[in-house]
Amino acid sequence: MQDQLKAAVRDVPDFPIKGILFKDITPILQDPKLFRLAVDTIADRQKGKNLKAVVGIDARGFIFAGAVAYKLGIGFVPVRKKGKLPYKTVVTSYTLEYGSETSEMHIDAINKGDNVIIVDDLLATGGTAMAAATLVKKLGGNIAEIDFLIELAFLKGRERLRDYPIFSAIQY
Ligand code: AMP
């Protein structure tokens, strides 16, 4: 099953800058069976974890995180790039594979002691997910797992995130 997901990911060389091999997930989204498989692969492993919310990372992470939250019947919390969220926020900055970024989360998005999972499309160096984890921690949340559709294992993001349980559906 995972092989079908892997086969559908499209490699786009030199996007968004030269030297980056971009993993394009849009062919998975276009195929209803594969889109459902991707969402179910993450959602089905959360049973019994007593989760309060799924934290989704701007922007491709939203696609999967929203669907996982719907399937689990729990809330969705967006982590957005700076300046996009309208209410008061907690903020953190980080570096990624191409450039640097600042992430925000609403201050009332998570309550102390809430169990959450964080979902994004792809784990590269781990900076983006670490920023989301930092925001959850700032609000006193507990990270039950960080889930990705794709892991670029050679970039060792998993080591950077070693304080948290990590799951990826497919690896390169
Ligand atoms: P990182 O913070 O280095 O783990 O980068 C992960 C974030 O950047 C994710 O939100 C991905 O969507 C995006 N990203 C990084 N590298 C790639 C890549 N090679 N292909 C597609 N997306 C990527």
Side-chain angles (χ1 to χ4, degrees), residues 59-110:
R60 284 180 297 278
F62 290 172
I63 301 163
F64 300 102
V68 168
Y70 180 84
K71 177 138 203 229
L72 295 176
I74 59 176
F76 170 79
V77 171
V79 170
R80 298 216 62 184
K81 284 160 197 156
K82 191 177 162 56
K84 301 286 187 186
L85 287 171
Y87 186 58
K88 286 179 238 163
T89 60
V90 282
V91 183
T92 190
S93 294
Y94 61 100
T95 55
L96 37 62
E97 206 182 357
Y98 37 84
S100 74
E101 199 58 80
T102 299
S103 290
E104 295 184 289
M105 184 189 283
H106 276 156
I107 52 162
D108 60 354
I110 291 170

Side-chain angles (χ1 to χ4, degrees), residues 9-162:
V9 174
R10 174 164 54 199
D11 284 350
V12 182
D14 299 324
F15 182 88
I17 55 165
K18 212 170 163 43
I20 299 291
L21 183 63
F22 193 86
K23 296 292 185 188
D24 177 16
I25 49 127
T26 60
I28 290 175
L29 305 179
Q30 280 170 247
D31 182 322
K33 282 203 193 75
L34 292 182
F35 185 28
R36 177 170 284 176
L37 174 61
V39 172
D40 287 350
T41 299
I42 294 173
D44 290 349
R45 52 181 290 107
Q46 309 306 336
K47 300 215 168 84
K49 285 189 189 161
N50 189 28
L51 298 176
K52 206 62 185 288
V54 180
V55 175
I57 300 182
D58 194 352
R60 284 180 297 278
F62 290 172
I63 301 163
F64 300 102
V68 168
Y70 180 84
K71 177 138 203 229
L72 295 176
I74 59 176
F76 170 79
V77 171
V79 170
R80 298 216 62 184
K81 284 160 197 156
K82 191 177 162 56
K84 301 286 187 186
L85 287 171
Y87 186 58
K88 286 179 238 163
T89 60
V90 282
V91 183
T92 190
S93 294
Y94 61 100
T95 55
L96 37 62
E97 206 182 357
Y98 37 84
S100 74
E101 199 58 80
T102 299
S103 290
E104 295 184 289
M105 184 189 283
H106 276 156
I107 52 162
D108 60 354
I110 291 170
N111 292 313
K112 231 181 220 120
D114 283 354
N115 284 327
V116 304
I117 56 166
I118 297 170
V119 172
D120 201 3
D121 67 326
L122 183 142
L123 171 61
T125 65
T128 307
M130 185 54 107
T134 301
L135 295 174
V136 171
K137 287 300 206 186
K138 278 192 186 195
L139 295 177
N142 176 48
I143 297 156
E145 191 166 76
I146 310 181
D147 296 285
F148 303 91
L149 186 62
I150 300 169
E151 176 179 2
L152 303 183
F154 58 92
L155 290 173
K156 303 195 189 308
R158 196 178 271 268
E159 282 176 26
R160 191 161 172 185
L161 300 171
R162 64 184 163 273

